Amino acid sequence: MTLVGPSSVAGNNTLALSHCRGSCANIDLPTLGYDKFCRSFFDIATSGKLRAVATGPEIRREMRSLFQGPRLYRPSRDEIRILWRAPADGFSVVKVEFDLECGVPVRGCLGIPDGEFKGLILLGHGMASTPERCFDDADNDYMNALGKSLCRDGYVVWCPYIVQIGDQASQNNIAAMLASHGVSAHNVSCASIDAGEIVCRKLTGASGLNVGVYGVSWGAFLVLHLEAATGRMRPTVVSGYMRDEKKLLMSSVISRNLGVELATYIHFSSSRARYTGAELAYLICPCPLFVEIGSRDSANAAELGRDEKFAEMQSVYASSDHPHAIEMAIFDGVHEASGERARPWLYQHLESPAYQETSRLKNAIAL
């Protein structure tokens, strides 16, 4: 994969984002060109460029129905296009685009600290946010400029755009279109996050960095499945996701919003029982895992099974002789990223001598 750029792209080429007043997607998606980017997928499909090809990391048998295949998509061996570069306070951001081998393009931002690199963190943002917003705290959304904090702490941060145009319906429609061509949207999203090591190496020349994973909201869901599918055992933080999906689907969150599409394409997958709880823990353990939830996060409230599901996961870790590898913190907040306890936890694990012993144990657990 060769580097090409910089080039022009529709949208802003700076981190000086507009004020969003709580509705960032309404401003960011058209301004940054992500609405046109998502619609381009249909042009790609029409031109016959989508293909059911996946030669990346092997996916565990238990997760293959969810990913529609035995392997993760790999970035193509063509070019990685630099769209723009922007300096920031103590770091810089490079926005890039490249294609996965299935024909789907990926856009994302790589945050690069000005000083020495302490490691690499793969960051998955949630619905209706953007990579740019994750690096700019002039007007925070629920990501709370997490990428900026991580970069200023000395970590390279890869944050790809998780395809959607700000609502669940768009994600469902794109997923259905891709599936009709044999391409898994879930695989695309997880592969986009996992590609961070290649992007980092191409743009910075650094290789062999210790790698951590941090996902927020929908991004938390994705990184849980990425680690469960590949068995990489990378220290992982999930923010804003810990609940019983069946309880959610029977709750007033759904019944009071019958006119709003809240159930995702993933709810109808045969692997939906592996969202959280014991089934997922068996696949992830002994991966170091930290869960952070806002005390006023209505989507992950106690009545939706937050504590019960975490207790299930704790039980699996304890039975596998790794009781201290999993933690949960409830912070004073809503559905948002915090990092107050999660960031020190993640850094400690990335700097630990035990990292090399656990991070590369692919499929180490007999299932």
Side-chain angles (χ1 to χ4, degrees), residues 153-182:
D153 287 340
Y155 291 86
V156 181
V157 179
W158 165 244
C159 185
Y161 182 63
I162 304 303
V163 175
Q164 36 78 28
I165 58 170
D167 55 34
Q168 190 58 60
S170 65
Q171 197 175 61
N172 287 345
N173 289 336
I174 292 171
M177 185 278 290
L178 293 177
S180 72
H181 290 77

Side-chain angles (χ1 to χ4, degrees), residues 332-355:
D332 182 18
V334 292
H335 187 69
E336 60 183 324
S338 170
E340 182 177 357
R341 288 181 56 187
R343 282 161 50 207
W345 177 94
L346 185 57
Y347 303 159
Q348 179 182 359
H349 280 79
L350 288 174
E351 295 165 3
S352 169
Y355 173 86

Side-chain angles (χ1 to χ4, degrees), residues 2 45 49-50 56 76 87 101 163 175-176 181 194 207 233 249 292 312 317 320 332 337 354:
T2 58
K49 295 180 181 178
L50 293 180
S76 72
E101 59 189 340
V163 175
H181 290 77
D194 198 61
S207 60
M233 304 298 167
L249 293 174
E292 61 172 15
E312 286 182 17
Y317 272 69
S320 302
D332 182 18

Side-chain angles (χ1 to χ4, degrees), residues 88-100:
D89 186 11
F91 65 101
S92 61
V93 177
V94 183
K95 186 171 183 178
V96 303
E97 180 178 314
F98 58 89
D99 297 325
L100 295 174

Side-chain angles (χ1 to χ4, degrees), residues 60 277-286 316-317 319-320 365-367:
R60 284 169 160 164
E279 295 89 348
L280 187 63
Y282 279 118
L283 291 166
I284 292 179
C285 183
V316 171
Y317 272 69
S319 65
S320 302
I365 308 304
L367 302 171

Side-chain angles (χ1 to χ4, degrees), residues 232-282:
R232 289 288 297 277
M233 304 298 167
R234 298 174 289 205
T236 299
V237 175
V238 294
S239 178
Y241 188 80
M242 184 57 61
R243 66 181 179 233
D244 185 319
E245 290 293 327
K246 291 182 179 179
K247 286 187 177 181
L248 172 70
L249 293 174
M250 295 184 292
S251 74
S252 60
V253 173
I254 302 294
S255 64
R256 291 178 182 174
N257 294 279
L258 288 178
V260 180
E261 189 172 23
L262 297 174
T264 72
Y265 69 88
I266 217 75
H267 282 95
F268 310 105
S269 165
S270 60
S271 296
R272 67 186 183 191
R274 304 186 191 279
Y275 285 172
T276 55
E279 295 89 348
L280 187 63
Y282 279 118

Side-chain angles (χ1 to χ4, degrees), residues 2-8 79-85 94-97:
T2 58
L3 282 173
V4 177
S7 63
S8 62
E79 60 187 33
I80 179 169
R81 301 173 287 280
I82 298 177
L83 304 181
W84 51 255
R85 299 176 185 267
V94 183
K95 186 171 183 178
V96 303
E97 180 178 314

Side-chain angles (χ1 to χ4, degrees), residues 26-290:
N26 295 334
I27 294 176
D28 288 355
L29 299 182
T31 300
L32 300 172
Y34 286 118
D35 53 350
K36 292 181 180 179
F37 176 66
C38 290
R39 290 186 174 91
S40 74
F41 286 23
F42 294 86
D43 296 329
I44 293 170
T46 301
S47 65
K49 295 180 181 178
L50 293 180
R51 47 195 176 274
V53 176
T55 63
E58 186 174 357
I59 294 170
R60 284 169 160 164
R61 173 176 49 81
E62 289 80 359
M63 302 291 285
R64 289 178 182 177
S65 62
L66 185 58
F67 285 79
Q68 290 183 227
R71 292 187 176 276
L72 209 61
Y73 298 130
R74 186 188 302 276
S76 72
R77 299 187 182 277
D78 298 327
E79 60 187 33
I80 179 169
R81 301 173 287 280
I82 298 177
L83 304 181
W84 51 255
R85 299 176 185 267
D89 186 11
F91 65 101
S92 61
V93 177
V94 183
K95 186 171 183 178
V96 303
E97 180 178 314
F98 58 89
D99 297 325
L100 295 174
E101 59 189 340
C102 61
V104 175
V106 174
R107 283 186 184 174
C109 291
L110 187 76
I112 306 172
D114 290 346
E116 183 180 355
F117 303 160
K118 296 180 180 178
L120 168 66
I121 296 176
L122 310 179
L123 176 60
H125 69 72
M127 188 69 69
S129 189
T130 62
E132 287 88 340
R133 189 66 65 174
C134 296
F135 291 99
D136 191 331
D137 62 0
D139 193 6
N140 287 346
D141 65 359
Y142 66 93
M143 293 297 297
N144 284 324
L146 182 60
K148 177 176 183 177
S149 298
L150 297 169
C151 279
R152 295 185 71 177
D153 287 340
Y155 291 86
V156 181
V157 179
W158 165 244
C159 185
Y161 182 63
I162 304 303
V163 175
Q164 36 78 28
I165 58 170
D167 55 34
Q168 190 58 60
S170 65
Q171 197 175 61
N172 287 345
N173 289 336
I174 292 171
M177 185 278 290
L178 293 177
S180 72
H181 290 77
V183 176
S184 163
H186 202 57
N187 196 327
V188 166
S189 295
C190 291
S192 299
I193 296 172
D194 198 61
E197 291 189 64
I198 294 176
V199 175
C200 176
R201 184 168 64 249
K202 281 293 180 181
L203 268 66
T204 70
S207 60
L209 295 175
N210 289 356
V211 182
V213 187
Y214 204 132
V216 182
S217 191
W218 182 258
F221 178 72
L222 293 174
V223 301
L224 280 169
H225 277 180
L226 174 60
E227 294 310 296
T230 61
R232 289 288 297 277
M233 304 298 167
R234 298 174 289 205
T236 299
V237 175
V238 294
S239 178
Y241 188 80
M242 184 57 61
R243 66 181 179 233
D244 185 319
E245 290 293 327
K246 291 182 179 179
K247 286 187 177 181
L248 172 70
L249 293 174
M250 295 184 292
S251 74
S252 60
V253 173
I254 302 294
S255 64
R256 291 178 182 174
N257 294 279
L258 288 178
V260 180
E261 189 172 23
L262 297 174
T264 72
Y265 69 88
I266 217 75
H267 282 95
F268 310 105
S269 165
S270 60
S271 296
R272 67 186 183 191
R274 304 186 191 279
Y275 285 172
T276 55
E279 295 89 348
L280 187 63
Y282 279 118
L283 291 166
I284 292 179
C285 183
C287 173
L289 182 64
F290 190 96

